[in-house]
Amino acid sequence: MNAPLPNRPVEGEPRSAAGLAPERRNSDVEPLSHDHALVAALTDVTRAAGALAQEYFRPGEKTSAPIHRKEDGSPVTEADLAVNRFLEQRLRGLLPAAGWLSEESADAPERRDGELVLVVDPIDGTRAFATGNPVWAVSVALVDRHRPVIGIVHAPALAETYVGVKDAGARLNGRAIEVSRRRSFDAEAMVGGPFGFAQRLRSAGLEFELLPKIPSLAVRVSKVAAGALDAALISANAHDWDIAACDLIVTEAGGTLRSLRGRQPLYNRVHTMHGELVAGPEVLLAQLAAADGHATAPEL
């Protein structure tokens, strides 16, 4: 991200990429910060998208939005689609040169033509949203050369906004956060993730408390970033839009999101699906990898 950009508040309608968008100049990379105009603009749009979703959300009750089924049988609501349209219009207005990858948009191969891509999940945790469970979020990431540089997870029904900025740390509602300082697993360690994955690790001798299901994967990993969970387990088949934003958030909070073999995900590739992943402090992830019989050294 190159060429000095103005660090000024963003007000009103999102402006075009001029004065906000990252520009390339040789190999220089302009540092971002939480006060950067682009970070502020993306966060404002994500919060506005959350407010739009809230119009359809009914705590403890079925959503007011009509519900449909995708080809794979998973639910999608009219709220997902409305938020997706809103985000595409507003975010592409900010960064018209960036590619676009969203759970609720047809995949366009041209997203891979440039180095920048917006990776979006309009409502992460649609099943929760549709049934009145507050654990859902709007997830937005800006990916630069296959890794996120800005990540935002906004959970409006929880009043939680997580923001990660490359090399500038992670924040929850404006306050700096960091991952757990726990050094080893025991009966008091708190882990979020699927039951089968957890049981496999427990059968290998690890002790931890498995929390009730956290339906939004982005929220699950973001809670690891804030230290509310010691680690998170992620089943195979998560897509870029599920994890790109929270990957950066947990990384900037001092942790890692990676495979049990030590590989960090890369984004905006031909295939957007990932294998099993874990998130948390590296010292704990090494113990998870050892319990599952994997070396902790990164794959070549």
Side-chain angles (χ1 to χ4, degrees):
M1 301 220 149
N2 317 343
L5 304 183
N7 287 309
R8 60 182 183 275
V10 177
E11 299 176 355
E13 289 298 310
R15 63 201 79 189
S16 70
L20 283 179
E23 299 176 1
R24 297 271 168 237
R25 188 175 59 216
N26 300 324
S27 60
D28 297 332
V29 176
E30 180 202 357
L32 290 166
S33 73
H34 281 270
D35 296 325
H36 197 288
L38 181 59
V39 176
L42 294 181
T43 303
D44 287 348
V45 170
T46 305
R47 285 178 171 149
L52 174 59
Q54 281 277 73
E55 295 178 11
Y56 299 89
F57 181 65
R58 300 290 181 267
E61 300 178 5
K62 184 178 178 180
T63 177
S64 64
I67 303 173
H68 311 288
R69 292 284 171 182
K70 301 180 187 179
E71 291 184 3
D72 63 2
S74 62
V76 61
T77 73
E78 288 295 328
D80 292 82
L81 303 178
V83 172
N84 190 61
R85 289 190 296 269
F86 174 86
L87 286 170
E88 184 168 12
Q89 178 185 16
R90 297 288 295 270
L91 294 176
R92 295 190 109 171
L94 286 169
L95 293 167
W100 176 261
L101 177 62
S102 168
E103 180 176 14
E104 307 306 344
S105 298
D107 193 6
E110 56 266 26
R111 66 175 165 82
R112 304 192 304 274
D113 292 344
E115 295 176 332
L116 291 173
V117 63
L118 290 155
V119 181
V120 169
D121 193 340
I123 298 179
D124 181 60
T126 294
R127 287 183 176 87
F129 175 87
T131 57
N133 183 328
V135 187
W136 54 273
V138 181
S139 178
V140 172
L142 179 63
V143 168
D144 179 12
R145 288 168 288 186
H146 305 296
R147 287 292 299 166
V149 293
I150 301 173
I152 303 155
V153 173
H154 175 52
L158 301 177
E160 296 176 354
T161 304
Y162 301 85
V163 181
V165 179
K166 181 175 172 56
D167 298 328
R171 296 180 181 181
L172 167 57
N173 295 343
R175 293 176 177 265
I177 54 176
E178 64 178 4
V179 294
S180 167
R181 298 183 181 181
R182 184 178 296 276
R183 306 299 295 174
S184 62
F185 284 100
D186 57 35
E188 295 182 353
M190 294 184 293
V191 174
F195 180 78
F197 196 168
Q199 285 299 94
R200 194 175 86 218
L201 294 167
R202 283 169 161 171
S203 68
L206 285 184
E207 281 190 289
F208 53 81
E209 179 182 352
L210 182 66
L211 272 65
K213 183 178 180 180
I214 299 173
S216 165
L217 179 51
V219 170
R220 186 191 313 164
V221 175
S222 295
K223 286 189 175 294
V224 174
L229 292 176
D230 294 301
L233 312 177
I234 302 165
S235 296
N237 303 330
H239 286 267
D240 283 9
W241 49 78
D242 296 310
I243 60 172
C246 61
D247 180 346
L248 181 66
I249 291 166
V250 75
T251 299
E252 288 298 320
T256 307
L257 188 151
R258 64 170 177 82
S259 73
L260 287 166
R261 294 183 182 274
R263 175 176 287 177
Q264 285 190 303
L266 297 177
Y267 303 100
N268 194 31
R269 305 178 86 179
V270 174
H271 300 292
T272 64
M273 191 178 293
H274 302 269
E276 286 185 335
L277 299 164
V278 289
E282 183 56 42
V283 65
L284 296 183
L285 301 192
Q287 293 168 38
L288 292 176
D292 207 47
H294 291 292
T296 57
E299 293 177 332
L300 299 177

